[in-house]
Amino acid sequence: MSLFEKDPVHIYIGADHAAYEAKGKLVEFLKGEGYGVTDLGTFSEASVDYPDVAREVGEKVLDNEGSFGVLICGTGLGMNMAVNKLRGIRAAQCKDVEDAEMARKHNNANVLTMGARTMSEQMHRDCALKFFTTSFEGDMEGFERHKRRVEKIDLK
Ligand code: RB5
């Protein structure tokens, strides 16, 4: 059975030491909301390099069609830069629910990046729920322009 026969949305999540605590709280919240979540670490406050975590999460998202990633570090910015180096990843740095909504509607983002030190626990929750419940408009009749634009992101 694939992950997606079991879970309508599967989420791979990762954080560095700066966001270890915030990540743990978000994992518990998302599980409580019924999402399938795979926590890829880090699993303590010991210092780690965020690009290593970003790559692990990004590769899982690419290997599992339809899944999403969440990456949290101090600001979210380093995670965003690192994971966006992987072709096929469209990571959006979101600080509010409007960012999260538009990242899905117009950009078909597949990874959400957020800051642990720059956002509240409640905003992490709100952004994540908006991100996972908003569909890409580019698959709808009359909105093909969004699909065309997103496809251009992956051109060499
Ligand atoms: C770690 O101190 C910090 O640099 C990292 O969590 C992140 O904010 C980098 O973008």
Side-chain angles (χ1 to χ4, degrees):
M1 183 194 285
S2 85
L3 281 175
F4 305 110
E5 285 167 64
K6 207 159 40 121
D7 311 316
V9 173
H10 196 85
I11 299 156
Y12 294 97
I13 190 165
D16 73 354
H17 51 285
Y20 160 71
E21 194 181 329
K23 186 254 295 165
K25 289 177 178 169
L26 188 57
V27 166
E28 287 316 305
F29 172 72
L30 292 172
K31 285 183 176 170
E33 291 291 307
Y35 289 100
V37 182
T38 301
D39 185 351
L40 294 170
T42 189
F43 297 108
S44 79
E45 285 180 350
S47 184
V48 294
D49 295 340
Y50 59 80
D52 298 333
V53 182
R55 176 169 291 276
E56 203 177 338
V57 168
E59 286 176 348
K60 286 286 188 196
V61 171
L62 292 173
D63 286 348
N64 292 278
E65 199 183 337
S67 66
F68 289 113
V70 176
L71 285 164
I72 316 175
C73 62
T75 59
L77 298 172
M79 287 292 198
N80 187 278
M81 292 177 196
V83 77
N84 268 322
K85 292 289 180 186
L86 302 179
R87 184 169 300 277
I89 291 295
R90 292 174 302 280
Q93 168 77 5
C94 297
K95 284 191 93 168
D96 55 41
V97 289
E98 290 78 16
D99 286 343
E101 182 175 9
M102 296 314 292
R104 289 288 309 130
K105 273 189 176 173
H106 284 195
N107 312 116
N108 201 14
N110 51 13
V111 175
L112 167 66
T113 64
M114 299 188 287
R117 295 172 176 158
T118 57
M119 293 166 67
S120 67
E121 181 183 341
Q122 186 62 49
M123 191 53 74
H124 292 150
R125 294 177 173 196
D126 293 347
C127 284
L129 286 185
K130 182 60 80 176
F131 194 89
F132 301 135
T133 57
T134 304
S135 299
F136 177 45
E137 281 183 350
D139 293 325
M140 292 162 57
E141 207 179 316
F143 291 89
E144 294 81 3
R145 64 186 181 280
H146 296 309
K147 189 168 188 176
R148 182 183 69 243
R149 291 165 185 165
V150 166
E151 282 171 355
K152 287 186 179 183
I153 293 173
D154 275 341
L155 291 180
K156 284 201 176 169

